[in-house]
């Protein structure tokens, strides 16, 4: 099912999907149930999850199940012991009603319920300067007015290039703090030795080179908003200091004894999964919970592919002073997967306009790897594999499965002419997981036999 809004959804401005639940069948928490209130249920031992387990072999943030692409998708959040579905350990997979999962010593069942969840959709395909006709974007637009008019801390998650910084700025512009400053701190671009001074300021003589007192980003943003971009790159030793600022709403300059009260709103963004980082102890759990008051998910372009024609038309018009894009440009760009998301799409439109290069627009970004030769490793590959009784069953099965996956991926990419987004939708697979498989099995150095 496409993420485009149906006629019924347009009329009612609602997105409906069946409610689901997770029920623990066996393990320390047998009988526990978590029912979806929105489109997602998360599982782990941390208190912020919808299904909180006490199983010591389950990670703090183990997995989440989310309704998207017209289905119910499980993603393992980098758990310590993995998530098992049948005989497979999975990273991302579409679930069917009745699917049973094993995590740690617990067995869970995914169940669809005989009722629906209704989520509001914005009536307009725009919020500020952000465009989006898809259901994924209109669902986000419906939340933003309520989020903007409060001072609550916001965490924006999304892949690189999806427009997280633009969303943060639009939230600021729509808030009561719009008259105040909007101060951006890119946590990935500041050297670790200078980030404390950049955030909190310093006094004269606080360190070598501190020739004058300077306010930090939090002071500079008083009365407005401070935007902490790529918060996942913040050094671990700086995280408790940021946590104290967020909780106390006061900042202490480097080299100063007393604290300075703050009147500032905090918006943070990351292209990483902070729950995964919490599991790996590279991001503090208490800071994550403090930032995770309201979380907004900026969809990747593959999750809102219906928006591509509108975005191309908008960028093209902006660059040409109002002209409409050629039909060939819309057709060519709609076929691409755009791993760099909206930023890559905008750059491609600009290149096409500047160079007047429609040949570039029609270039396939996802060619079938040359190592996937037509007819290789077809469904009868087992007829060409000699039986070796010295190979353990598990190893033989893994080798056979690897050969089959390689064949399937090659046929899938040929069938979709290398369009990764189309391939992901057709196979009901996660795009990033499919990309990893594509890279792995296109490389003969993996040890997978090729005949």
């Amino acid at each position: 099912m496409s993420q485009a809004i149906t006629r019924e959804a347009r009329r009612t401005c609602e997105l409906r999907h069946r409610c689901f639940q997770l029920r623990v069948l066996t393990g320390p928490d047998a009988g526990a149930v978590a029912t979806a209130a929105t489109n997602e249920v998360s599982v782990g031992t941390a208190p912020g999850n919808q299904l909180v387990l006490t199983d010591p072999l389950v990670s703090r943030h183990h997995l989440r199940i989310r309704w998207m692409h017209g289905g119910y998708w499980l993603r393992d959040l980098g758990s310590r012991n993995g998530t098992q579905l049948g005989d497979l350990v999975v990273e991302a997979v579409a679930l069917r009603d009745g699917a049973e999962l094993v995590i740690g010593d617990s067995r869970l069942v995914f169940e669809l319920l005989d009722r629906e969840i209704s989520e509001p959709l914005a009536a307009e395909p725009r919020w500020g300067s952000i465009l989006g006709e898809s259901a994924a974007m209109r669902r986000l637009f419906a939340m933003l007015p309520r989020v903007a008019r409060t001072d609550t801390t916001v965490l924006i998650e999304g892949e690189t290039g999806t427009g997280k910084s633009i969303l943060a700025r639009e939230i600021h512009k729509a808030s009561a703090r719009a008259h105040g400053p909007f101060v951006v701190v890119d946590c990935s671009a500041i050297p670790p030795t200078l980030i404390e001074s950049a955030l909190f300021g310093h006094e004269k003589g606080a360190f070598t080179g501190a020739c004058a007192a300077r306010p930090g980003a939090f002071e500079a943003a008083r009365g407005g908003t401070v935007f902490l971009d790529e918060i996942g790159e913040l050094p671990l030793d700086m995280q408790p200091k940021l946590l104290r600022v967020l909780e106390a709403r006061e900042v202490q300059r480097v080299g100063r004894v007393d604290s300075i009260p703050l009147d500032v709103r905090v918006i943070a963004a990351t292209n990483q999964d902070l729950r995964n980082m919490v599991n790996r102890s590279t991001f503090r759990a208490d800071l994550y919970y403090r930032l995770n008051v309201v979380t907004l998910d900026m969809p990747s372009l593959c999750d809102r592919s219906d928006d591509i024609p509108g975005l191309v038309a908008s960028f093209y018009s902006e660059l040409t002073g109002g002209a409409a894009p050629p039909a060939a440009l819309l057709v060519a760009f709609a076929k691409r997967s755009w791993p760099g998301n909206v930023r890559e799409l905008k750059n491609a439109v600009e290149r096409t306009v500047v160079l007047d290069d429609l040949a570039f627009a029609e270039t396939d970004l996802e060619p079938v790897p040359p190592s996937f030769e037509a007819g290789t490793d077809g469904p009868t590959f087992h007829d060409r594999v000699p039986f070796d009784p010295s190979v353990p069953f598990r190893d033989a099965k893994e080798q056979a499965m690897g050969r089959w996956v390689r064949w399937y991926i090659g046929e899938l990419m040929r069938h979709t002419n290398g369009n990764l987004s189309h391939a992901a939708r057709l196979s009901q697979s996660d795009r990033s997981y499919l990309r990893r498989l594509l890279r792995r099995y296109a490389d003969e150095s993996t040890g997978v036999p090729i005949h």
Side-chain angles (χ1 to χ4, degrees):
M1 180 187 294
S2 169
Q3 282 282 59
I5 302 173
T6 64
R7 292 179 181 177
E8 178 67 18
R10 286 182 188 275
R11 188 173 74 246
T12 61
C13 286
E14 289 182 336
L15 183 65
R16 292 180 173 273
H17 54 86
R18 284 182 67 180
C19 185
F20 63 94
Q21 69 178 20
L22 277 177
R23 184 161 51 89
V24 183
L25 298 176
T26 61
D29 307 283
V33 177
T35 303
T38 58
N39 69 328
E40 178 175 311
V41 166
S42 59
V43 181
T45 59
N49 292 286
Q50 283 76 41
L51 180 58
V52 180
L53 302 180
T54 60
D55 187 336
L57 297 180
V58 171
S59 297
R60 285 180 287 187
H61 301 279
H62 200 103
L63 64 87
R64 58 106 169 133
I65 296 174
R66 177 181 293 175
W67 183 87
M68 59 183 185
H69 308 310
Y72 301 85
W73 290 85
L74 178 150
R75 177 180 288 278
D76 186 273
L77 299 175
S79 63
R80 183 175 65 255
N81 294 314
T83 300
Q84 187 173 337
L85 180 67
D87 293 332
L88 302 176
V89 176
V90 297
E91 293 182 13
V93 67
L95 295 178
R96 294 181 177 178
D97 187 22
E100 293 189 6
L101 320 171
V102 175
I103 56 175
D105 286 333
S106 301
R107 187 162 57 93
L108 290 68
V109 61
F110 168 80
E111 298 172 322
L112 293 177
L113 304 179
D114 292 330
R115 64 176 186 271
E116 290 185 325
I117 292 176
S118 175
E119 298 184 78
L121 299 176
E124 298 297 326
R126 172 189 287 270
W127 197 75
S129 63
I130 306 174
L131 304 177
E133 178 73 18
S134 63
M137 291 304 292
R138 287 197 173 186
R139 178 180 178 273
L140 178 64
F141 293 165
M143 301 169 58
L144 292 176
R146 290 175 292 166
V147 173
R149 62 174 173 256
T150 70
D151 270 350
T152 191
T153 300
V154 177
L155 176 63
I156 304 173
E157 297 181 331
E159 295 179 7
T160 298
T162 52
K164 299 184 294 295
S165 60
I166 297 174
L167 176 58
R169 191 175 293 274
E170 291 297 333
I171 292 174
H172 169 74
K173 289 167 61 176
S175 73
R177 296 178 175 270
H179 64 280
F182 180 80
V183 178
V184 178
V185 179
D186 186 346
C187 298
S188 66
I190 304 174
T193 55
L194 299 178
I195 195 164
E196 183 173 6
S197 174
L199 288 173
F200 311 139
H202 62 259
E203 292 295 301
K204 180 179 179 181
F207 51 84
T208 302
C211 301
R214 290 187 59 182
F218 278 90
E219 280 188 77
R222 279 200 286 186
T225 302
V226 61
F227 175 50
L228 305 176
D229 199 11
E230 300 305 343
I231 189 68
E233 300 293 337
L234 189 69
L236 196 58
D237 62 342
M238 277 298 302
Q239 293 177 21
K241 298 177 182 179
L242 175 60
L243 178 63
R244 285 197 295 270
V245 170
L246 296 179
E247 292 181 337
R249 292 291 162 171
E250 60 183 25
V251 66
Q252 187 177 25
R253 289 185 183 180
V254 179
R256 182 166 176 165
V257 177
D258 59 323
S259 298
I260 302 169
L262 294 177
D263 174 24
V264 65
R265 181 185 196 168
V266 177
I267 301 177
T270 179
N271 64 0
Q272 304 183 63
D273 192 323
L274 296 186
R275 292 175 293 189
N276 189 323
M277 296 183 68
V278 170
N279 287 339
R280 293 185 282 112
S281 299
T282 57
F283 199 86
R284 289 178 62 102
D286 47 5
L287 179 57
Y288 168 70
Y289 300 136
R290 186 63 187 81
L291 293 170
N292 189 35
V293 179
V294 172
T295 299
L296 302 176
D297 183 21
M298 199 65 175
S300 63
L301 205 50
C302 76
D303 292 334
R304 47 179 299 211
S305 56
D306 301 298
D307 290 336
I308 292 176
L311 290 169
V312 171
S314 176
F315 297 150
Y316 195 92
S317 176
E318 178 184 337
L319 292 165
T320 59
L329 183 68
L330 295 175
V331 172
F333 279 7
K335 293 179 179 179
R336 297 189 178 187
S337 61
W338 303 110
N341 293 295
V342 178
R343 180 185 297 137
E344 182 187 7
L345 176 63
K346 185 175 182 179
N347 291 342
V349 174
E350 184 173 358
R351 172 179 168 175
T352 304
V353 170
V354 171
L355 301 180
D356 192 21
D357 189 6
L358 276 179
F360 161 74
E362 295 170 352
T363 300
D364 189 359
L365 286 184
E366 295 292 342
V368 178
S371 60
F372 286 117
E373 299 176 359
T376 301
D377 284 339
T380 60
F381 70 86
H382 54 272
D383 295 333
R384 302 190 300 272
V385 179
F387 173 68
D388 185 351
S390 66
V391 177
F393 171 78
R394 182 184 296 273
D395 294 344
K397 179 180 177 182
E398 288 181 358
Q399 292 173 11
M401 183 60 70
R403 291 171 56 83
W404 182 88
V405 171
R406 186 183 186 282
W407 165 79
Y408 179 87
I409 295 298
E411 292 298 314
L412 178 66
M413 297 308 295
R414 276 190 291 274
H415 180 79
T416 58
N417 295 318
N419 188 314
L420 194 61
S421 294
H422 184 198
R425 290 192 296 270
L426 192 65
S427 62
Q428 298 188 26
S429 302
D430 181 78
R431 187 177 70 127
S432 59
Y433 177 62
L434 193 61
R435 183 185 296 279
R436 288 195 296 273
L437 286 178
L438 186 63
R439 289 173 177 169
R440 174 183 176 187
Y441 288 106
D443 182 3
E444 298 186 11
S445 67
T446 58
V448 178
I450 299 175
H451 300 290

